[in-house]
Amino acid sequence: MIIKNVSLETVCGITSKIPENQHPEVAFAGKSNVGKSSLINALMNRKSLARTSAQPGKTQTINFYNVNDEIYLVDLPGYGYARANEEVKAKWGKMVENYLHKSRQLKAVFLLIDIRHEPGSNDRIMYDWIVGQGFFPIIVATKLDKIKRSQVSKQVKLIKEALHTKSDTMVIPFSSENKQGRDEIYHLLDGYLTGEING
């Protein structure tokens, strides 16, 4: 995939109607502070299109990025932010559930997990919940540059075991610093775009 142009086209809040887009959509979910904005910026070759924040839990909207007028990258609100109150957390959950149910163009959900740590209870809940909505998430193991190369396969195994993933679940180790893993994600996006990979 060659990124020619990209724009933040739609921002959906809690009461917003989900847009009826004509192009395929791929969604990115992850715990607050897992590096979701950094991953989206790396994929789109932009430094600050998706805003990274020192304050986790800042993204409280669903953001639709139009890429090449061919495909949408959909940034879902970060989950598991401890300081968000229960009412806010419940609204986030409803908003995401509404999107997963109502989008007719959603082809895949990428779930971001920090490769350095065993997935926590929020990660496990989110994985099971996405599966319950009828999607089998592709795991992106972020912050790859923070660990030694010799640790990668052990950490990937730990993630799969902790989430009780299906044996064929794809895990893509990813670094927003050196862009390792980006080509694998591009390959998947191209597959959803051409219909070679069915969501």
Side-chain angles (χ1 to χ4, degrees), residues 115-171:
I115 198 167
R116 298 172 297 175
H117 310 297
E118 181 177 345
S121 60
N122 281 317
D123 295 314
R124 293 194 293 274
I125 289 165
M126 191 67 179
Y127 178 83
D128 291 342
W129 187 70
I130 293 169
V131 170
Q133 306 301 315
F135 294 92
F136 287 97
I138 296 144
I139 308 298
V140 180
T142 61
K143 311 203 179 188
L144 176 62
D145 47 280
K146 308 283 190 198
I147 65 169
K148 292 176 182 167
R149 192 175 291 184
S150 59
Q151 295 176 292
V152 174
S153 58
K154 175 183 151 225
Q155 292 305 110
V156 166
K157 187 177 177 211
L158 181 71
I159 288 170
K160 291 184 86 164
E161 286 175 353
L163 295 177
H164 303 294
T165 63
K166 288 172 54 182
S167 58
D168 60 349
T169 296
M170 187 180 291
V171 178

Side-chain angles (χ1 to χ4, degrees), residues 31-194:
K31 194 161 60 177
S32 301
N33 221 16
V34 75
K36 188 153 51 68
S37 297
S38 298
L39 175 135
I40 289 171
N41 286 329
L43 289 177
M44 296 190 289
N45 285 329
R46 300 293 189 275
K47 282 191 176 166
S48 57
L49 193 64
R51 286 183 194 150
T52 56
S53 174
Q55 185 183 340
K58 201 86 194 258
T59 307
Q60 297 182 22
T61 53
I62 300 175
N63 299 332
F64 291 78
Y65 295 95
N66 183 332
V67 180
N68 297 343
D69 209 23
E70 291 178 331
I71 192 167
Y72 287 93
L73 267 55
V74 183
D75 183 7
L76 300 176
Y79 59 86
Y81 180 46
R83 283 172 59 187
N85 66 40
E86 292 306 314
E87 185 187 355
V88 170
K89 286 180 187 173
K91 284 178 179 173
W92 288 356
K94 257 191 192 135
M95 185 163 59
V96 174
E97 185 174 19
N98 184 40
Y99 168 66
L100 293 180
H101 278 307
K102 293 198 172 169
S103 170
R104 293 179 182 174
Q105 293 290 353
L106 182 59
K107 303 300 179 190
V109 180
F110 290 81
L111 179 61
L112 279 61
I113 304 287
D114 188 328
I115 198 167
R116 298 172 297 175
H117 310 297
E118 181 177 345
S121 60
N122 281 317
D123 295 314
R124 293 194 293 274
I125 289 165
M126 191 67 179
Y127 178 83
D128 291 342
W129 187 70
I130 293 169
V131 170
Q133 306 301 315
F135 294 92
F136 287 97
I138 296 144
I139 308 298
V140 180
T142 61
K143 311 203 179 188
L144 176 62
D145 47 280
K146 308 283 190 198
I147 65 169
K148 292 176 182 167
R149 192 175 291 184
S150 59
Q151 295 176 292
V152 174
S153 58
K154 175 183 151 225
Q155 292 305 110
V156 166
K157 187 177 177 211
L158 181 71
I159 288 170
K160 291 184 86 164
E161 286 175 353
L163 295 177
H164 303 294
T165 63
K166 288 172 54 182
S167 58
D168 60 349
T169 296
M170 187 180 291
V171 178
I172 302 173
F174 183 86
S175 165
S176 59
E177 293 292 318
N178 60 29
K179 312 297 188 286
Q180 190 173 334
R182 183 168 68 173
D183 286 346
E184 287 93 326
I185 297 174
Y186 280 166
H187 178 71
L188 291 172
L189 297 183
D190 281 333
Y192 297 125
L193 204 50
T194 59

